[in-house]
């Protein structure tokens, strides 16, 4: 019963924090506009940068990173207080994946903004800073390398996300020294996170296949 209660708390924390879309908040406060009506109409970091510039994008980055970390930290603290972690050390690492998943769901379908948000890449990546920063570093490296080669933010996001569950498993098993069973559990918990983010990129995948996807460039700016 305690475990179920901890899972509900983690899901609620993740969703409510995830629904705070800082792309929408920042652009509304600084520009008086709705980012969901601008550019690609995606309430995410890339579209915010392209349409509103580095200041808005920087604040969006900070906000979405903070909420991803906070969701995991609060959920794990609640689970720790309820003592529903793995014995013998009350390891509540697993609960972070639940909070992260629902933070992504909240970001994609925010309760505060008519259930129309972003694609969840940033909040998903940020959550790994609290879950396991080594996984975050591995995924960031993949993202940066693919972006440098292809210049496609969407492709870089998709490839890094797709590798995420495997990175979770390998880091847990080999680097952190956890058992196969526990590492496999973490892999299973990370799969819905990856699936959600990749599913949200389905239109990007179609454009990539049709060779009509927009490439990213620091010098190609549409903001004032």
């Amino acid at each position: 019963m305690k475990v179920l209660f901890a899972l509900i708390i983690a899901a609620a924390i993740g969703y409510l924090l995830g629904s705070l879309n800082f792309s929408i908040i920042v652009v509304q406060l600084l520009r008086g506009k709705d980012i969901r009506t601008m550019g690609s109409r995606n309430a995410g970091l890339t579209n915010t940068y392209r349409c509103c510039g580095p200041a808005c994008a920087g604040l969006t980055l900070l906000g979405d990173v903070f909420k991803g970390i906070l969701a995991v930290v609060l959920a794990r603290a609640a689970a720790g207080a309820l003592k529903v972690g793995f014995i013998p050390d009350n390891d509540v690492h697993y609960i972070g994946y639940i909070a992260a998943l629902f933070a992504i769901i909240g970001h994609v379908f925010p309760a505060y903004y008519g259930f129309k948000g972003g694609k969840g890449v940033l909040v998903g990546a940020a959550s790994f800073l609290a879950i396991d920063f080594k996984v975050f570093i591995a995924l960031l490296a993949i993202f940066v390398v693919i972006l440098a080669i292809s210049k496609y933010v969407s492709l870089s996001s998709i490839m890094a996300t797709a590798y995420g569950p495997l990175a979770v498993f390998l880091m847990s098993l080999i680097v952190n020294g956890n058992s196969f069973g526990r590492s496999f559990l973490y892999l299973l918990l990370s799969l819905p996170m990856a699936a959600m983010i990749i599913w949200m990129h389905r239109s990007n995948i179609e454009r990539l296949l049709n060779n009509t996807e927009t490439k990213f460039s620091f010098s190609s700016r549409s903001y004032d």
Side-chain angles (χ1 to χ4, degrees):
M1 197 65 180
K2 281 186 177 181
V3 174
L4 179 59
F5 187 48
L7 293 175
I8 292 173
I9 290 175
I13 289 173
Y15 181 75
L16 293 175
L17 285 173
S19 289
L20 291 170
N21 188 303
F22 283 89
S23 176
I24 297 173
I25 294 170
V26 168
V27 173
Q28 182 63 49
L29 289 175
L30 299 186
R31 294 298 186 94
K33 299 178 180 179
D34 187 343
I35 188 63
R36 295 169 298 177
T37 66
M38 305 168 68
S40 67
R41 293 183 169 83
N42 176 53
L45 182 64
T46 303
N47 193 42
T48 301
Y49 176 80
R50 284 173 173 160
C51 296
C52 301
C56 288
L59 291 173
T60 297
L61 174 65
L62 290 175
D64 283 348
V65 165
F66 178 73
K67 76 180 183 184
I69 294 174
L70 186 61
V72 174
V73 170
L74 291 179
R76 289 177 64 174
L82 290 170
K83 299 187 183 304
V84 293
F86 294 123
I87 56 173
D89 53 350
N90 193 36
D91 178 14
V92 294
H93 188 77
Y94 72 97
I95 211 75
Y97 292 98
I98 305 300
L101 171 61
F102 279 86
I104 293 171
I105 293 173
H107 186 85
V108 173
F109 305 110
Y112 316 131
Y113 307 106
F115 302 98
K116 183 181 179 183
K119 296 182 179 178
V121 176
L122 185 54
V123 66
S127 66
F128 277 108
L129 284 169
I131 294 174
D132 188 339
F133 75 93
K134 297 182 290 296
V135 173
F136 172 82
I137 292 172
L139 300 185
L140 179 62
I142 292 171
F143 176 88
V144 170
V145 169
I146 295 177
L147 180 62
I149 295 171
S150 70
K151 300 300 188 295
Y152 290 117
V153 173
S154 58
L155 179 62
S156 305
S157 300
I158 292 166
M159 294 301 292
T161 299
Y163 179 67
L166 180 59
V168 164
F169 177 77
L170 294 177
M171 288 294 179
S172 176
L173 183 66
I174 299 173
V175 179
N176 297 337
N178 291 317
S179 67
F180 179 88
R182 190 178 297 191
S183 301
F184 189 68
L185 172 63
Y186 296 155
L187 181 150
L188 292 178
L189 290 173
S190 65
L191 280 175
M193 297 170 58
M196 170 68 74
I197 293 172
I198 293 174
W199 180 75
M200 289 304 299
H201 281 81
R202 59 197 184 280
S203 60
N204 301 90
I205 294 172
E206 183 177 351
R207 289 194 295 271
L208 285 167
L209 293 174
N210 294 332
N211 200 30
T212 57
E213 179 73 321
T214 302
K215 291 187 176 182
F216 180 80
S217 172
F218 284 106
S219 60
S220 179
R221 301 169 181 172
S222 60
Y223 55 85
D224 295 335

